[in-house]
Amino acid sequence: MRVCLFVAGLVLSTLAGKGQATDFVDLAYQRATLDQKPEEWDKFVRKTKEHFETWSNDNPSGSGNVNRFLNDKLLPIAMGVPGGEVKNLKKFIYWIALYKVFDAQPPWYILEIAKENQQDIEDLHKDFSWERMSKLVKQRANEMPEDRKKKLQERMKKDKD
């Protein structure tokens, strides 16, 4: 899971270019709406809003908490990111774009890791393609230092408690 989170952050950071790490939500939104026809994007958003209503009714303790909903749904999606499959990368970016739609704050690990990968961000952003992103994601998943993985895992465990 630690590698998933690192790579997930890298995926988002690749969309951020030279801007601030928090810009990636806007850029993810731009990417998502560029990749889909307007009616496809609208359908995705509508279905997500319906799913949120159902989730909210089924989870009284989280009722109305859109951040919790998005974070709960994002984590399993992020688990598929390290494999670098374009389909999984797109799904992940589309879900990040929902933070803009719902006017929600993305998770800390995404913000933190986006800041840490500026050089990769700049290099990929110059000539973006899903295939280049896929290659970089696979490479970074294999290169993540063990101490960084441990640090992320400890912080996430602390946040869950």
Side-chain angles (χ1 to χ4, degrees), residues 102-144:
F102 284 95
D103 193 28
Q105 178 67 30
W108 64 267
Y109 60 87
I110 300 298
L111 296 172
E112 181 178 308
I113 294 169
K115 288 181 182 179
E116 293 176 357
N117 294 284
Q118 282 300 309
Q119 188 59 53
D120 286 334
I121 295 166
E122 291 173 19
D123 292 346
L124 186 59
H125 192 68
K126 289 176 186 173
D127 186 26
F128 179 83
S129 77
W130 289 108
E131 291 74 23
R132 287 185 65 227
M133 180 185 279
S134 172
K135 184 177 177 181
L136 183 60
V137 165
K138 289 176 191 176
Q139 180 182 348
R140 290 298 174 256
N142 292 326
E143 293 174 352
M144 186 177 184

Side-chain angles (χ1 to χ4, degrees), residues 41-71:
W41 176 250
D42 291 343
K43 181 179 178 182
F44 176 69
V45 170
R46 187 177 59 257
K47 283 187 171 194
T48 303
K49 287 180 178 180
E50 291 169 3
H51 190 76
F52 172 65
E53 290 300 321
T54 301
W55 177 90
S56 196
N57 291 331
D58 293 344
N59 294 284
S61 65
S63 182
N65 187 338
V66 72
N67 265 74
R68 183 171 166 199
F69 168 75
L70 291 173
N71 293 349

Side-chain angles (χ1 to χ4, degrees), residues 20-38:
Q20 298 296 319
T22 55
D23 293 343
F24 74 82
V25 172
D26 288 335
L27 292 165
Y29 179 84
Q30 290 172 17
R31 175 64 48 201
T33 56
L34 283 172
D35 281 358
Q36 298 180 63
K37 295 177 182 175

